[in-house]
Amino acid sequence: MATSQKNVRQSVSLPSAVARRVQALAKRRRTSANRVIVDLIESGLDAKEREKIAFFDLADRLAHSSDRAEQKRLKEELARMTFGDS
């Protein structure tokens, strides 16, 4: 995190199993639980952004595809991303 950013204090309630995992990870890394939580949140936000970019890339490929087989495959992949595996 850049030093020029202002920190904002937040209160978060974690399920006890998650809190134990965070504490164990902090102990293994020899850092604070707060740092672990911040790292996990940043990783999750980055993953969501990558997921969004991948979704729009697939949608763009679908919009520009003229091959029926590829269109079908892309539609199925978009459906999996949107609704999960069913």
Side-chain angles (χ1 to χ4, degrees), residues 4-28:
S4 64
Q5 291 180 336
K6 182 179 177 185
N7 292 330
V8 177
R9 187 167 183 80
Q10 296 286 303
S11 175
V12 179
S13 296
L14 300 175
S16 60
V18 173
R20 281 193 301 274
R21 290 174 67 190
V22 167
Q23 290 294 339
L25 190 53
K27 188 174 181 178
R28 264 197 319 272

Side-chain angles (χ1 to χ4, degrees), residues 30-81:
R30 293 190 173 119
T31 189
S32 69
N34 186 71
R35 181 74 251 161
V36 169
I37 291 169
V38 169
D39 289 346
L40 290 170
I41 291 170
E42 287 175 344
S43 295
L45 291 171
D46 290 345
K48 283 293 184 186
E49 186 62 28
R50 286 190 306 274
E51 192 176 283
K52 180 177 137 184
I53 290 167
F55 178 86
F56 284 114
D57 179 52
L58 278 176
D60 189 52
R61 285 175 46 202
L62 176 60
H64 293 96
S65 176
S66 57
D67 179 20
R68 293 279 184 193
E70 183 181 22
Q71 287 175 346
K72 184 178 188 302
R73 186 186 62 75
L74 291 171
K75 285 178 185 178
E76 289 170 356
E77 195 168 341
L78 284 169
R80 266 193 308 279
M81 288 178 79

